[in-house]
Amino acid sequence: MYPEPLTLLKKDECIELTKKCKITRIECFRFDCELSDKLQPGHGADCHCGLLTISTNLGTSGFGEFVISSGNLKGDFIQWAAVFQRIKGLTLTDGLKYVHQKQEAWGEVRTHLIESALTDLSDKLNHSSAGKKELSFLSDRTYLFEHSGAYISF
């Protein structure tokens, strides 16, 4: 007997799936000027654009795009993104709780970024974003690496 497709799961089953989902990898790409211009036309030269990806033990990934002004980037990009490593190993629910606890310390931009990636991940787990199209190059790791000025993974 095959398991039910995710689209046919009941609400309780989706909640259970979310509880079993553990964050296994977090990656943050800071894009070069070419890709930044493609995603954020007209962004200022003093802005950093990029992508945060969250992968899970269930093979599902969530994405969050960001634009950070240089003034909001305290320290270098790696230091800025390193705070996200604390949610690795947590369930989706516990990860969201942790983000809410750190909201004041992390600031609006980081909090919004991680929340958007976790929300995208949750939507995919619940299969409610089946019609949502992603830009194909965002899932092309080779392309992302070729157009990244900085990268961090944990």
Side-chain angles (χ1 to χ4, degrees), residues 42-143:
H43 72 89
D46 65 335
C47 288
H48 302 283
C49 301
L51 178 73
L52 176 77
T53 66
I54 299 174
S55 302
T56 71
N57 60 322
L58 301 176
T60 309
S61 295
F63 299 98
E65 294 179 56
F66 63 87
V67 178
I68 312 165
S69 72
S70 295
N72 287 339
L73 189 63
K74 296 178 174 79
D76 68 13
F77 175 71
I78 304 301
Q79 291 172 325
W80 181 86
V83 299
F84 299 135
Q85 69 185 322
R86 297 282 189 173
I87 68 166
K88 184 177 177 180
L90 298 179
T91 64
L92 182 58
T93 304
D94 290 340
L96 279 168
K97 286 178 187 175
Y98 184 78
V99 169
H100 289 265
Q101 291 171 353
K102 294 297 184 179
Q103 186 172 353
E104 188 175 326
W106 286 0
E108 186 178 334
V109 175
R110 280 191 281 204
T111 301
H112 183 280
L113 172 60
I114 195 78
E115 282 179 336
S116 65
L118 289 169
T119 300
D120 183 53
L121 178 58
S122 178
D123 287 348
K124 288 175 180 171
L125 285 171
N126 295 317
H127 212 59
S128 65
S129 64
K132 184 179 173 184
K133 277 191 158 181
E134 290 177 359
L135 299 171
S136 62
F137 58 83
L138 292 181
S139 58
D140 181 351
R141 295 180 57 74
T142 302
Y143 184 85

